[in-house]
Amino acid sequence: GRMFMTWTENHATVQRAFFSTTTDGDTWTPPVQIPVGDTGWWYTTSPILYADGWYLAYAYGRPDTGGSGKEEIRLVRSADLVSWSAPITVASHPDRGFTESHIFRTGPGNLTAMLRVDNAPGDFWTYAATSTNGGVTWSEPVRSFPGDGRPRVDQIDGGYFVHFRDNETLTRAPSRGKAAKVLAISSDGLPLALTNLPLAQPTITFAARGTSMYSESYTDTDGTMFVA
């Protein structure tokens, strides 16, 4: 199979997102810029998704390098990793920035994007947007569940497992950096049914405050899930 690596390169005030691929882990293709924008800065912490015959690469940033605009998330699609679509806006809003995200497939042509909010004081929610046409167009982002860290999603038997860093909401105190990892379970991957519980319900904490930052997960062939 094909393996992807994504990263961001910093050049003074300009950042650009790149990817490279390999089939054996030893030899990698030359870096290719993810073409979400030619101006401003663009940053990625996300994997490339292959869904329904399309490669989807996405990044967040601003088209203005030094301006005061809000961050947005853009996506490009390719059938061959050579020719790419024009940039598609996944999430953008004049009053809040959208940064680190995770897009995953929930069915043929159907995608959900879990979105971290930044540059929006007092907004401590993870948002979500959906697409029903393979990422060509997206719904308006809506609040999904409390928590303002980078979301990660892993498919499990019968549903989806979402974990993220929670900076604020467990205590509602301005204590950025004192984080806990929390999770929610979804039966369908849709944002408004993410926990199958009222949004005020607490999520499950599985790491102590002050010790956790970003997290990743892996599900083994026997169904065992590892979270680090």
Side-chain angles (χ1 to χ4, degrees):
R2 190 193 301 266
M3 181 184 301
F4 290 86
M5 178 172 60
T6 61
W7 71 93
T8 302
E9 293 186 3
N10 297 310
H11 301 282
T13 59
V14 176
Q15 291 82 37
R16 293 289 183 266
F18 292 84
F19 76 89
S20 180
T21 69
T22 182
T23 56
D24 57 15
D26 294 323
T27 304
W28 292 79
T29 61
V32 176
Q33 183 176 326
I34 299 174
V36 292
D38 293 326
T39 62
W41 60 270
W42 299 97
Y43 191 91
T44 186
T45 60
S46 305
I48 287 180
L49 173 66
Y50 183 75
D52 302 305
W54 291 91
Y55 296 97
L56 309 178
Y58 50 105
Y60 72 88
R62 291 204 310 257
D64 57 327
T65 300
S68 58
K70 304 294 186 179
E71 298 87 347
E72 61 186 68
I73 298 172
R74 292 182 181 179
L75 173 148
V76 287
R77 305 167 79 242
S78 175
D80 56 9
L81 296 176
V82 177
S83 300
W84 294 87
S85 70
I88 298 164
T89 299
V90 176
S92 176
H93 195 278
D95 297 327
R96 65 182 63 90
F98 292 104
T99 58
E100 296 158 327
S101 60
H102 196 174
I103 298 175
F104 59 101
R105 183 181 184 272
T106 58
N110 296 327
L111 303 169
T112 294
M114 304 305 303
L115 312 168
R116 179 184 181 184
V117 169
D118 202 1
N119 203 8
D123 194 344
F124 305 134
W125 288 78
T126 293
Y127 282 66
T130 58
S131 173
T132 59
N133 53 16
V136 176
T137 59
W138 290 85
S139 67
E140 286 294 320
V142 296
R143 284 181 170 180
S144 183
F145 56 85
D148 65 341
R150 184 193 71 174
R152 280 292 180 262
V153 183
D154 200 1
Q155 190 166 8
I156 58 176
D157 187 21
Y160 301 86
F161 167 93
V162 184
H163 54 99
F164 57 96
R165 181 183 66 178
D166 182 22
N167 286 328
E168 312 284 359
T169 55
L170 295 185
T171 61
R172 294 293 179 183
S175 55
R176 295 195 66 85
K178 295 182 179 179
K181 290 191 181 75
V182 293
L183 66 87
I185 302 296
S186 168
S187 62
D188 54 15
L190 297 177
L192 294 181
L194 195 58
T195 60
N196 296 316
L197 294 169
L199 290 178
Q201 284 284 336
T203 49
I204 303 167
T205 302
F206 61 97
R209 271 188 174 274
T211 62
S212 58
M213 292 296 287
Y214 294 141
S215 58
E216 299 289 349
S217 62
Y218 165 74
T219 303
D220 209 344
T221 54
D222 63 358
T224 302
M225 177 175 288
F226 301 87
V227 179

